[in-house]
Amino acid sequence: MTRILSTHVYGDRHPDWDARVDVLDRRTMTRRQLFRRLVSAAGDYDALILNGSIGTSEWFVDLLAAAAIRRTRRRPPAIVVTDCSWALGDAWIDRAAMRMGIRALDGRRVRYCVRSTDELELFPRAWRVDPGHVVFTPYAHTVTDTELAVPATTDGGVFAGGNSLRDYPTLLEAVRELDVPVRILTSVIGDAERAALPAHVQVDRVRSHDEFVDGLRRAAAVVTPLRPVLQRAAGLDTYLSAMALGKLVIVSESPGVRDYVEHGRTGLVVPAGDAASLREVLAWVLDPANADEVGEIAARAGETARTRFTYEAYVDTLLRVADDLVAG
């Protein structure tokens, strides 16, 4: 059996994770300690599964350790980097630094896990790596069984939330004339913008995870407005969690959306940046005459998310990538 070391704590999400994987829990050590433990222990394992979403706030510790292991060990273990949804950034120096780091890490026995089939093409082009080193690992909803057990309602109007690559100007234009409560939880809409909003639109910063889930649970519809022409998948945590709660989701066309949302069956996909189209779709969803069809779409969304897009399935895929990479 493949000997695996990881920085992911998935024992509460997958029945076999702790049996198959030795875990370095970053919550119990400093960044420097984690770096040293990874580098020193790497030789005892066939594969590492590391967290690619750890960024500047954590000093890119997983990626730096992986690069150090690749460059200092004669026979380094296979390396699987998860959640590689990396933005190119606006500054050329940031892009150059990231590409240099990837060049130090990249190799035949390295795999970058992305969350969409679109990124199988976008990622290699952006970061100049071999397309054969990039694999699609379908992501999962993040709602717990306890949260799913709480009955959902539809008395909360339209809900939207999150920060990453969101297009709230288009959403605000679309809902300005709607006669329905709209609630947005985000930190990317400033005070001046909030002051100019109509009375039926409420914008607050996210104060807790429970508050965010409650907003999803009470919504009549959940909108995830995303910027046009994205380089990576975004918004998955929001719309997959809403689907798992049995909600009608409306998502802007962008990388990855079609991997998770089947338009007209498990959700609705609208053109990015098109307020008129979004307004038309919202009006249809909120029309009582369409309640039965909306309910059917929402029910299929819940079934799909709770059976296909689970953490158990996601972790199974990561383990399979590691096993295949070592065997190959």
Side-chain angles (χ1 to χ4, degrees):
M1 183 176 290
T2 306
R3 298 168 300 167
I4 301 174
L5 178 67
S6 180
T7 55
H8 284 291
V9 182
Y10 285 148
D12 60 340
R13 296 179 181 267
H14 193 284
D16 299 329
W17 182 255
D18 288 340
R20 286 212 53 193
V21 179
D22 291 337
V23 175
L24 293 178
D25 188 344
R26 69 180 72 251
R27 298 170 299 183
T28 66
M29 60 189 81
T30 66
R31 303 177 190 92
R32 184 171 299 176
Q33 288 172 332
L34 179 59
F35 178 90
R36 289 175 175 170
R37 291 280 300 277
L38 279 170
V39 173
S40 64
D44 297 328
Y45 294 89
D46 303 310
L48 307 179
I49 300 179
L50 304 179
N51 192 339
S53 69
I54 298 300
T56 52
S57 64
E58 295 289 330
W59 302 349
F60 296 98
V61 62
D62 290 43
L63 298 178
L64 289 174
I69 292 163
R70 282 269 299 120
R71 295 298 167 182
T72 59
R73 289 194 172 275
R74 183 170 174 270
R75 292 183 60 83
I79 297 174
V80 177
V81 186
T82 72
D83 307 316
C84 296
S85 295
W86 302 332
L88 276 168
D90 297 324
W92 70 267
I93 192 167
D94 292 337
R95 295 194 296 271
M98 192 67 178
R99 285 190 177 117
M100 287 177 61
I102 292 175
R103 194 173 300 124
L105 166 62
D106 195 30
R108 183 176 59 84
R109 282 162 51 82
V110 175
R111 291 295 179 269
Y112 305 98
C113 299
V114 295
R115 296 177 177 180
S116 73
T117 54
D118 295 300
E119 288 169 284
L120 294 175
E121 178 182 347
L122 294 170
F123 187 93
R125 189 168 66 215
W127 302 113
R128 301 173 185 172
V129 301
D130 185 333
H133 296 174
V134 185
V135 294
F136 171 44
T137 52
Y139 195 49
H141 75 78
T142 56
V143 186
T144 66
D145 290 341
T146 300
E147 291 165 339
L148 287 172
V150 179
T153 65
T154 57
D155 60 352
V158 175
F159 178 83
N163 296 330
S164 180
L165 301 176
R166 297 302 198 269
D167 179 17
Y168 288 120
T170 294
L171 173 61
L172 292 173
E173 183 181 347
V175 302
R176 187 168 294 277
E177 303 300 327
L178 281 183
D179 185 21
V180 63
V182 178
R183 190 177 188 208
I184 303 173
L185 294 182
T186 184
S187 59
V188 300
I189 298 178
D191 294 339
E193 294 172 283
R194 289 205 298 271
L197 295 175
H200 69 284
V201 179
Q202 176 187 352
V203 176
D204 295 303
R205 296 180 184 275
V206 181
R207 289 181 287 266
S208 70
H209 169 78
D210 289 343
E211 179 185 33
F212 196 94
V213 173
D214 184 65
L216 294 173
R217 186 184 291 116
R218 295 181 57 236
V222 175
V223 182
T224 306
L226 299 169
R227 297 179 197 168
V229 196
L230 297 184
Q231 301 155 344
R232 62 178 178 87
L236 278 72
D237 281 327
T238 299
Y239 65 78
L240 284 177
S241 293
M243 290 170 65
L245 290 164
K247 296 298 171 177
L248 189 291
V249 296
I250 304 169
V251 190
S252 306
E253 185 76 78
S254 62
V257 171
R258 301 281 182 166
D259 292 318
Y260 301 96
V261 180
E262 186 178 354
H263 179 67
R265 284 192 53 80
T266 62
L268 299 172
V269 182
V270 298
D274 189 336
S277 293
L278 178 55
R279 185 184 306 114
E280 182 179 350
V281 168
L282 278 168
W284 181 86
V285 169
L286 298 170
D287 186 341
N290 301 318
D292 289 345
E293 191 170 352
V294 167
E296 290 171 2
I297 295 173
R300 282 193 295 267
E303 177 69 16
T304 299
R306 292 192 296 268
T307 56
R308 286 182 55 196
F309 302 124
T310 66
Y311 254 100
E312 186 168 343
Y314 176 63
V315 172
D316 279 339
T317 304
L318 296 181
L319 292 171
R320 185 167 60 252
V321 170
D323 288 338
D324 291 348
L325 186 55
V326 171

